[in-house]
Amino acid sequence: MIRRAVALLTTFLVAACGGLADSAGPPAADTGGTGPITFAIGRDTTAYLGPLIDRWNRSHPAERVTLLELPEASDEQRAQMVANLQAHSDVYDVLGLDVVWTAEFADAGWIAPLDRSLFPLDKVFPGVAATAIYRDRLWAVPYVTNAGLLYYRSDLLAKEHLKPPRTWAELRDDAMRLGAKYRIGGYAGQFLPYEGLTVNFAEAVQSAGGSILSPDARRVTMDLGPARRALDFLVGGVREGWIPREALSYKEEESRLAFQEGRLLFARNWPPAYGPAAHSRLAGKFAVTRLPGPDGPGSSSLGGVNLAVSAFSKRQKTALDFIRYFTGPEIQRLVLTEGSFPPVWAELYDDPALIKRFPYLPVLKETILSARPRPVTPDYNQVSLVISSAVSGALDLGRPTDETVAELRQQLGEVIQSGG
């Protein structure tokens, strides 16, 4: 216990025990590991996780779960996890993984394969379930999903007798005109150069009818036309001022606060931003809709968190049991009602009681079903770094969009060819 406590303080951090491997795979590191475990996941910005974990701990006193909150930004979460897993540390038992990390972590041997028959994946949105599968094996279990939404000031649009924008042109016009009239910022997303910017750019590209990589990430599919149109939309917003330059430093939390504090007319963000806004001075003054596109509703990137068992955990049986509990029906409902996170169980989006309490659920369901997953590749982190760096250079008005898109296509080809 002393050694484990020291590891927790100093580092912050195989495969098949009963129920883990669904076919031949890496050898088991510990076939009967039970006892206290740790749960490493990104920072809990809505303070909902503690009470949910307490439910488990009250009924499992010998297998208590300790929450380890990692940084808010996904890039920083990944870096911290990777540093510990590369050292084969057993500090992390259950890992809350961004959905795009499944392939990388599985390919590296950092997470244990799971028996898919133990989980009711038929209850989960098909596209969401697919994010936990790599090379036809289950490596994690969907816990929460995510899809980008357009948050808008419904009170101000109502004053102007306007409906929420469905196209980029409508968004631009409303942001420019009403922003000036009400002395408020027009639009912001997540534009700091990190994974959030990659997502915002990918959403713009696919909304323009394009893509960046093939689903298996073996080919660059980024046509220059849709990519230029997408980048011109974002760069034009900065140049014309309806995207405040301050937004170039925004991650999710910064853009949430800017909208919630009344400094933005429109904001692209994930569904968890809804709950805090609904309990702020903005209550009753905002709503959400699908992201706009060039000629109508656009397309979101599919986000979310999957839960995986560390291949180096010495308590894999408890870790597996906890994941089964934490992805089950009771917690899935509480994930929404207590944390404002989108559950992965599809049936909850048709629950009349939940719709009454969360009126945005039908829009969110439609958004999830139309969202696109990001490429499945062990080299996704390198792909994301290349995209966010290039797009950031254009948004800062330092590089022409034509030059940026052409060079980005070339760089992505080099990443794919070299394998990262």
Side-chain angles (χ1 to χ4, degrees), residues 151-153 255-262 264-265 267 282 286:
Y151 288 71
Y152 66 92
R153 287 291 299 272
S255 53
R256 178 187 72 81
L257 286 172
F259 182 78
Q260 184 176 314
E261 292 171 356
L264 287 172
L265 182 66
L282 210 62
F286 79 98

Side-chain angles (χ1 to χ4, degrees), residues 71 84 94 117 172 215 218 277 294 311 324 404 407:
N84 285 276
V94 175
S117 69
R172 172 187 178 274
R218 294 180 179 177
R324 293 182 68 186
T404 298
E407 185 168 328

Side-chain angles (χ1 to χ4, degrees), residues 326-392:
F326 225 60
T327 57
E330 177 186 5
I331 298 298
Q332 276 290 290
R333 181 176 290 268
L334 292 172
V335 157
L336 173 63
T337 60
E338 303 302 316
S340 295
F341 284 89
V344 299
W345 282 43
E347 64 188 39
L348 295 176
Y349 291 77
D350 300 319
D351 185 311
L354 291 178
I355 293 173
K356 183 177 180 180
R357 182 173 173 183
F358 302 95
Y360 64 91
L361 283 180
V363 171
L364 179 55
K365 179 181 179 180
E366 184 181 354
T367 302
I368 292 170
L369 290 173
S370 64
R372 295 191 196 177
R374 284 164 280 177
V376 177
T377 170
D379 303 311
Y380 181 83
N381 186 61
Q382 184 62 29
V383 167
S384 179
L385 287 172
V386 167
I387 294 172
S388 61
S389 177
V391 174
S392 177

